[in-house]
């Protein structure tokens, strides 16, 4: 799987955690996921379905890997949890581990594959370890969703390739996988024993897309063979979805989780069938911070632009799954 990581998914901020709980430090080899300190979100299980969510790159730790005991990094993870995973909260119990993700300090200028670096591998192993703990000790047999963004999606691609292909029971309990903000190929799906979503109500499928402008050359998240579904009309062809179908874009300060604004009918969307990109034209006069990416790469807004449509779809897929099972 050819994955090149471009970090800097969210803004850094000078903030600190207000947590006072004790912790068990990670060892060189593993994190103790029995300890609640090592979970970003550990909810009461009030709903019939869970979400296992993995956050994108937040850390700029000079060591090359996130220090999950660092108050600033923990606070940044808490901010993006509110900005992205809140889309699941009305329909599911959100579980999310801290993990020693690859930080922005890793030098990727030599075009080395991120999946080949020790820093990425360590984070991916943490995510798989957290998922195993979740399945064995926290899930209690409930159906579940897996979801992530950017580096979080990268780790989940590794997870489904390694874990799902040989486990029919696990695949049968998967409502859907929202693997957003990175390329998911047919090879990834074949290894996982899964298929790409083809509509709004199919279950046990992978929902994936990468957002950019119509004129953008694209970013490193979008590679050859990318699957894509349009989150406004839930089609996989080039059918245009007008802004009238956009139930609401929801913009947050990703570093703090503060809601900034919500805009109904923000923009439309259309799949570029040649590149697999989800293309959009944002409203005239918008001045969005797209970070280190080239023109029109809206990677930071993969959840924000389509927030209310994603929220509605999560409920629809859960209802479809529960009706069938």
């Amino acid at each position: 799987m050819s994955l090149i990581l471009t970090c800097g998914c969210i803004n850094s901020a000078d903030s600190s955690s207000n947590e006072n709980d004790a912790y068990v430090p990670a060892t060189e080899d593993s994190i103790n996921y029995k300890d609640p300190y090592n979970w970003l979100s550990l909810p009461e299980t009030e709903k019939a379905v869970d979400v296992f969510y993995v956050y994108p790159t937040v850390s700029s730790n000079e060591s090359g890997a996130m220090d999950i005991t660092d108050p600033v990094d923990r606070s940044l993870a808490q901010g993006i949890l509110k900005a992205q995973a809140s889309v699941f909260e009305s329909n599911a119990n959100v579980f999310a581990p801290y993990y020693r993700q690859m930080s922005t300090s890793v030098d990727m200028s030599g075009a080395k594959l991120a999946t080949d670096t020790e820093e990425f591998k360590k984070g991916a192993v943490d995510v798989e370890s957290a998922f195993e703990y979740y399945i064995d000790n926290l899930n209690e047999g409930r159906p579940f969703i897996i979801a992530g963004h950017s580096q979080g999606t990268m780790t989940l691609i590794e997870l489904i390739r390694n874990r799902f292909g040989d486990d029919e029971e696990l695949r049968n309990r998967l409502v859907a996988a929202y693997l957003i903000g990175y390329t998911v190929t047919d090879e990834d799906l074949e290894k996982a024993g899964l298929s790409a979503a083809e509509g709004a109500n199919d279950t046990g499928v992978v929902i994936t897309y990468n957002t950019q402008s119509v004129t953008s050359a694209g970013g490193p998240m979008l590679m050859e063979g990318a699957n894509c579904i349009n989150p406004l009309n839930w089609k996989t062809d080039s059918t245009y979805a007008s802004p009238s179908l956009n139930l609401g874009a929801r913009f947050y300060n990703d570093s703090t989780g503060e809601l900034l604004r919500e805009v109904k009918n923000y923009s439309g969307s259309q799949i570029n069938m040649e590149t697999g990109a989800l293309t959009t034209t944002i409203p005239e006069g918008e001045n969005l911070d797209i970070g280190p990416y080239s023109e029109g790469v809206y990677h930071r807004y993969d959840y924000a632009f389509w927030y209310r449509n994603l929220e509605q779809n999560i409920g629809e897929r859960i209802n479809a799954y529960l009706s069938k099972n």
Side-chain angles (χ1 to χ4, degrees), residues 82-148:
K82 293 175 184 175
Q84 291 185 349
S86 58
V87 77
F88 299 98
E89 287 182 342
S90 61
N91 291 292
N93 314 301
V94 179
F95 292 84
Y98 287 105
Y99 70 108
R100 294 171 293 185
Q101 64 175 211
M102 180 180 180
S103 81
T104 60
S105 295
V106 175
D107 182 9
M108 296 298 297
S109 59
K112 187 178 182 181
L113 299 182
T115 46
D116 292 333
T117 66
E118 291 305 313
E119 292 87 354
F120 175 80
K121 289 178 180 178
K122 178 183 287 188
V125 168
D126 286 349
V127 169
E128 186 162 350
S129 176
F131 180 76
E132 294 296 344
Y133 183 84
Y134 156 75
I135 288 294
D136 291 343
N137 300 280
L138 304 173
N139 172 256
E140 299 180 333
R142 289 182 296 276
F144 62 90
I145 291 167
I146 61 172

Side-chain angles (χ1 to χ4, degrees), residues 136-199:
D136 291 343
N137 300 280
L138 304 173
N139 172 256
E140 299 180 333
R142 289 182 296 276
F144 62 90
I145 291 167
I146 61 172
H149 185 243
S150 195
Q151 185 174 177
T153 285
M154 291 172 63
T155 67
L156 290 172
I157 292 171
E158 295 291 310
L159 175 69
I160 63 171
R161 286 171 63 100
N162 295 337
R163 186 67 176 80
F164 279 62
D166 296 326
D167 195 328
E168 183 178 4
E169 190 273 337
L170 200 61
R171 294 196 305 273
N172 287 341
R173 284 201 284 129
L174 179 68
V175 175
Y178 288 80
L179 304 185
I180 296 169
Y182 220 81
T183 292
V184 179
T185 66
D186 288 342
E187 179 190 350
D188 296 326
L189 297 171
E190 183 179 359
K191 289 278 189 182
L194 300 173
S195 58
E198 297 181 347

Side-chain angles (χ1 to χ4, degrees), residues 19-301:
E19 298 175 2
N20 296 312
D21 47 343
Y23 69 90
V24 176
T27 68
E28 183 64 27
D29 298 322
S30 64
I31 292 175
N32 177 17
Y33 285 109
K34 185 177 181 179
D35 192 319
Y37 179 84
N38 295 323
W39 287 88
L40 173 60
S41 179
L42 200 60
E44 296 292 331
T45 53
E46 299 173 343
K47 300 179 176 69
V49 172
D50 294 345
V51 174
F52 182 84
Y53 165 82
V54 185
Y55 53 89
T57 307
V58 298
S59 177
S60 57
N61 192 291
E62 293 182 357
S63 72
M66 178 179 177
D67 177 357
I68 66 168
T69 70
D70 178 74
V72 172
D73 276 1
R74 289 175 71 87
S75 181
L76 290 170
Q78 292 159 17
I80 197 66
L81 177 80
K82 293 175 184 175
Q84 291 185 349
S86 58
V87 77
F88 299 98
E89 287 182 342
S90 61
N91 291 292
N93 314 301
V94 179
F95 292 84
Y98 287 105
Y99 70 108
R100 294 171 293 185
Q101 64 175 211
M102 180 180 180
S103 81
T104 60
S105 295
V106 175
D107 182 9
M108 296 298 297
S109 59
K112 187 178 182 181
L113 299 182
T115 46
D116 292 333
T117 66
E118 291 305 313
E119 292 87 354
F120 175 80
K121 289 178 180 178
K122 178 183 287 188
V125 168
D126 286 349
V127 169
E128 186 162 350
S129 176
F131 180 76
E132 294 296 344
Y133 183 84
Y134 156 75
I135 288 294
D136 291 343
N137 300 280
L138 304 173
N139 172 256
E140 299 180 333
R142 289 182 296 276
F144 62 90
I145 291 167
I146 61 172
H149 185 243
S150 195
Q151 185 174 177
T153 285
M154 291 172 63
T155 67
L156 290 172
I157 292 171
E158 295 291 310
L159 175 69
I160 63 171
R161 286 171 63 100
N162 295 337
R163 186 67 176 80
F164 279 62
D166 296 326
D167 195 328
E168 183 178 4
E169 190 273 337
L170 200 61
R171 294 196 305 273
N172 287 341
R173 284 201 284 129
L174 179 68
V175 175
Y178 288 80
L179 304 185
I180 296 169
Y182 220 81
T183 292
V184 179
T185 66
D186 288 342
E187 179 190 350
D188 296 326
L189 297 171
E190 183 179 359
K191 289 278 189 182
L194 300 173
S195 58
E198 297 181 347
N201 297 309
D202 43 355
T203 60
V205 294
V206 174
I207 296 93
T208 184
Y209 58 81
N210 292 274
T211 312
Q212 63 184 55
S213 72
V214 175
T215 57
S216 176
M221 296 71 60
L222 180 67
M223 293 170 284
E224 185 177 353
N227 281 280
C228 183
I229 194 166
N230 189 326
L232 293 189
N233 60 19
W234 300 104
K235 295 181 181 294
T236 57
D237 59 21
S238 61
T239 302
Y240 175 68
S242 73
S244 65
L245 296 177
N246 192 321
L247 301 178
R250 196 166 167 90
F251 296 90
Y252 288 82
N253 179 325
D254 289 344
S255 299
T256 66
E258 176 191 3
L259 175 62
L260 302 176
R261 60 186 172 124
E262 182 165 343
V263 184
K264 190 174 181 180
N265 308 137
Y266 180 76
S267 66
S269 56
Q270 185 175 27
I271 298 173
N272 182 321
M273 299 303 292
E274 293 184 5
T275 66
L278 179 70
T279 65
T280 189
T281 301
I282 65 175
E284 186 175 354
E286 279 284 74
N287 184 23
L288 298 177
D289 179 6
I290 64 171
Y293 306 113
S294 59
E295 182 271 327
V297 177
Y298 298 131
H299 180 63
R300 288 184 169 181
Y301 304 97

